[in-house]
Amino acid sequence: ATSSSDDMYCIYLGKAVQTVNPPSGSVGISQLSATGTKDSTTFLRGDNTFAEAGGGKINQVLNSVATVNTSSSSDVELFNLSITPSSTSSKILAIVNVTAQLDANEYTSFDLYRGTLSSGTKVYDAGETLFNSADSTRLGYGFTYLDSPSTTSATQYTVVGSPHFGTITFGSTGKNTITLIEVLV
């Protein structure tokens, strides 16, 4: 026994631990406590359940390169593309690239409509996106937007040019593209 005036040091070495690797192929479904059904469409999750892969899968991709050459001082439809979602829970990722030629002190923006300018819903408003302080300059603009159309009907997306000052020449040169990607949720 130690007394209060003794210095004591204790070193605990612990228990002997052994690592055992089961032989390959010796652990089967019957040895697991996992729940759910194992088949070719499921995987074993970290919470010990079999489940189908979740959302975020790409179902379809549509792309259109548009020839645009129009001048306008008011809102104008530039180009469009339609997609038919496979589920009402699908989301549509729109990727748009547009060009315009602006004279000095002109500015414009681009919007995305689900449907058309006259009968659709504006889903993306870029605000005042392009401004030119020099003479006759060609400019490009791009944007992406993730939409939730909640339908399985063919859905048209229309790119609209919105001049805020001056008569803008849309397109004329450069690539004008729209890509629609259906993302399964």
Side-chain angles (χ1 to χ4, degrees), residues 44-59:
L44 183 59
R45 298 179 356 165
D47 65 357
N48 207 27
T49 61
F50 285 101
E52 290 188 5
K57 294 186 238 176
I58 302 301
N59 189 49

Side-chain angles (χ1 to χ4, degrees), residues 112-124:
L112 183 66
Y113 280 74
R114 185 183 325 121
T116 64
L117 176 60
S118 62
S119 64
T121 302
K122 185 188 295 188
V123 293
Y124 178 82

Side-chain angles (χ1 to χ4, degrees), residues 107-171:
Y107 61 97
T108 190
S109 68
F110 300 95
D111 303 315
L112 183 66
Y113 280 74
R114 185 183 325 121
T116 64
L117 176 60
S118 62
S119 64
T121 302
K122 185 188 295 188
V123 293
Y124 178 82
D125 182 349
E128 297 172 8
T129 53
L130 292 179
F131 173 77
N132 181 34
S133 60
D135 288 333
S136 191
T137 302
R138 284 178 250 146
L139 300 169
Y141 180 74
F143 64 88
T144 59
Y145 179 75
L146 185 62
D147 188 36
S148 301
S150 299
T151 185
T152 56
S153 298
T155 304
Q156 178 177 304
Y157 288 88
T158 302
V159 178
V160 173
S162 299
H164 297 278
F165 179 78
T167 300
I168 309 299
T169 301
F170 295 102

Side-chain angles (χ1 to χ4, degrees), residues 37-118:
T37 303
K38 177 193 174 289
D39 61 29
S40 63
T41 64
T42 61
F43 67 98
L44 183 59
R45 298 179 356 165
D47 65 357
N48 207 27
T49 61
F50 285 101
E52 290 188 5
K57 294 186 238 176
I58 302 301
N59 189 49
Q60 59 178 316
V61 178
L62 303 174
N63 179 267
S64 177
V65 177
T67 302
V68 177
N69 189 2
T70 187
S71 295
S72 182
S73 57
S74 61
D75 291 357
V76 62
E77 291 185 5
L78 301 177
F79 50 93
N80 61 60
L81 185 61
S82 292
I83 190 168
T84 303
S86 62
S87 169
T88 57
S89 64
S90 292
K91 297 195 180 296
I92 303 299
L93 178 63
I95 304 169
V96 177
N97 291 292
V98 291
T99 59
Q101 183 169 328
L102 287 75
D103 289 329
N105 299 316
E106 291 182 335
Y107 61 97
T108 190
S109 68
F110 300 95
D111 303 315
L112 183 66
Y113 280 74
R114 185 183 325 121
T116 64
L117 176 60
S118 62

